[in-house]
Amino acid sequence: MYTTELDKSPAGQPVTIEDPELLAKFEARVAADDFIEPKDWMPEAYRRTLVRQISQHAHSEIVGMLPEGNWLTRAPSLKRKAILLAKIQDEGGHGLYLYCAAETLGTSREEMIDALHSGKAKYSTIFNYPTLNWADIGAIGWLVDGAAIMNQVPLQRTSYGPYARAMVRICKEESFHQRQGYDLLLEMVNGTPEQKAMAQDALNRWWWPALMMFGPPDENSPNTAQSLRWRIKRETNDELRQKFVDATVPQADLLGLSVPDPDLKWNEERGHYDFGEIDWAEFYAVVKGQGPVAQERMSERRAAWDDGAWVRDAADAHAAKHAARAAA
Ligand SMILES: [Fe+2]
Ligand SMILES: [Fe+2]
């Protein structure tokens, strides 16, 4: 999910003057919808943007495992537990494909993980909100994975080959995630009045953060034009956000839940839903790490990394043993 470019190019970064001939060839290939592969020449700014975008995306996948992991031991049935476990494992896999794709651009896994753990790298703001009741697990699948799909389907045609190919598989899995969330909520809204109220409460809390997942409005998204030209991005933040609202409102209707936006209404002339103003002050605060559970997420994340050290060490030792045997 989660590919909004949250941070702008770091200030003071040297501007690379590229060879105009190579640049023209590169741009022609991109314009012709050719894939750019790891060994191909590419402008430095293209490489930097991709590393930032793909690594943010990878971080979001693995940080996204945390709020759902909290509910594994509290899933209400064996069936729901098995579904949730499978989904969380998928997210871990998404993180791995994406770290691999970013590595092909010349950055190492250690650098990326360090940047995440030191707070330098961003991940999707959505995971800095808490999961308070079981219906939140449904709302995350329905809305968060749903927003991710909106973002990611066009990325299957992004210009960088390894990223585009990773997205093909990820998108298939994300659509299972979206459906399991919706299915969970469907069961709750048809349950007791209390269960339906929990589903409504979850929608109330997740709706606006889900709209924020598409990133800042286009007029405040300075990298968008360049990213569109280089086909790193295929649609703007606002276009994707509108698509998401248009697709999701009828799904809320079907659940019998109301979207917490008094300004939401169908606009016959535009052929789209109009919706209320997003609280951008909240968005930027969460981007800066002031989300309700941002600190908790990062300390859990660092603890998971430390706790997993023995697995990485064991894998290294195993690989070294194999290499030694092969050499002998
Ligand atoms: Fe994912
Ligand atoms: Fe997902």
Side-chain angles (χ1 to χ4, degrees):
M1 62 188 63
Y2 338 116
T3 54
T4 49
E5 289 170 76
L6 299 171
D7 49 358
K8 298 161 189 163
S9 301
Q13 203 150 53
V15 177
T16 322
I17 309 292
E18 303 287 7
D19 178 331
E21 216 171 289
L22 288 172
L23 186 62
K25 263 196 209 152
F26 168 86
E27 299 218 318
R29 282 187 63 194
V30 169
D33 264 337
D34 233 4
F35 283 123
I36 303 300
E37 297 298 337
K39 288 191 175 145
D40 295 343
W41 184 90
M42 63 186 82
E44 263 322 292
Y46 177 84
R47 185 186 299 274
R48 272 204 303 267
T49 304
L50 276 172
V51 167
R52 188 175 64 231
Q53 181 170 327
I54 301 173
S55 61
Q56 275 177 9
H57 189 166
H59 298 328
S60 302
E61 299 284 355
I62 62 166
V63 175
M65 297 166 78
L66 300 171
E68 296 184 307
N70 284 341
W71 281 90
L72 270 176
T73 52
R74 289 176 285 171
S77 68
L78 180 60
K79 176 182 136 186
R80 290 291 167 197
K81 187 183 188 120
I83 293 172
L84 184 59
L85 189 60
K87 182 207 193 267
I88 296 172
Q89 284 175 335
D90 283 354
E91 306 299 9
H94 297 175
L96 294 182
Y97 315 150
L98 290 163
Y99 283 124
C100 288
E103 281 176 313
T104 64
L105 290 156
T107 180
S108 73
R109 185 83 58 104
E110 286 71 24
E111 278 174 273
M112 290 185 274
I113 296 284
D114 272 356
L116 173 65
H117 291 174
S118 67
K120 228 166 65 193
K122 304 269 190 274
Y123 55 88
S124 181
T125 50
I126 195 89
F127 301 119
N128 287 334
Y129 290 88
T131 39
L132 302 180
N133 82 49
W134 172 251
D136 287 32
I137 296 304
I140 290 182
W142 174 36
L143 301 173
V144 176
D145 292 90
I149 294 170
M150 260 332 149
N151 247 319
Q152 291 173 1
V153 163
L155 290 178
Q156 296 176 94
R157 295 175 295 124
T158 193
S159 58
Y160 188 57
Y163 192 24
R165 289 188 288 273
M167 291 323 300
V168 173
R169 175 154 176 193
I170 290 179
C171 281
K172 284 189 186 139
E173 294 177 346
E174 294 299 357
S175 70
F176 151 68
H177 299 171
Q178 198 263 356
R179 287 167 75 166
Q180 65 81 34
Y182 194 75
D183 178 68
L184 189 164
L185 288 176
L186 201 57
E187 203 166 308
M188 286 189 82
V189 298
N190 288 308
T192 63
E194 288 81 3
Q195 285 172 319
K196 185 165 182 184
M198 282 165 78
Q200 181 64 56
D201 174 53
L203 173 57
N204 293 347
R205 285 179 290 105
W206 290 93
W207 176 255
W208 291 104
L211 295 195
M212 292 177 196
M213 279 178 68
F214 295 92
D218 292 348
E219 78 251 23
N220 260 330
S221 179
N223 296 326
T224 291
Q226 177 69 287
S227 285
L228 285 173
R229 201 159 77 101
W230 280 344
R231 309 215 167 165
I232 292 173
K233 239 176 154 147
R234 308 287 321 224
E235 282 167 274
T236 73
N237 296 353
D238 287 335
E239 285 165 359
L240 292 166
R241 187 164 15 242
Q242 179 72 62
K243 267 195 184 175
F244 175 75
V245 172
D246 291 347
T248 310
V249 172
Q251 296 169 358
D253 292 344
L254 200 73
L255 290 172
L257 297 178
S258 51
V259 173
D261 178 359
D263 297 322
L264 181 79
K265 84 172 184 294
W266 179 253
N267 182 326
E268 193 63 59
E269 208 174 299
R270 290 200 310 125
H272 293 291
Y273 281 95
D274 290 336
F275 53 97
E277 182 67 26
I278 289 169
D279 182 351
W280 291 114
E282 176 179 323
F283 170 78
Y284 287 111
V286 179
V287 168
K288 281 201 216 112
Q290 293 163 20
V293 291
Q295 299 205 337
E296 187 184 320
R297 294 282 183 256
M298 267 310 101
S299 53
E300 260 187 274
R301 178 58 221 144
R302 282 190 286 261
W305 179 254
D306 293 343
D307 290 349
W310 70 272
V311 180
R312 295 188 297 277
D313 291 346
D316 280 347
H318 182 72
K321 201 166 77 183
H322 264 261
R325 260 194 218 140

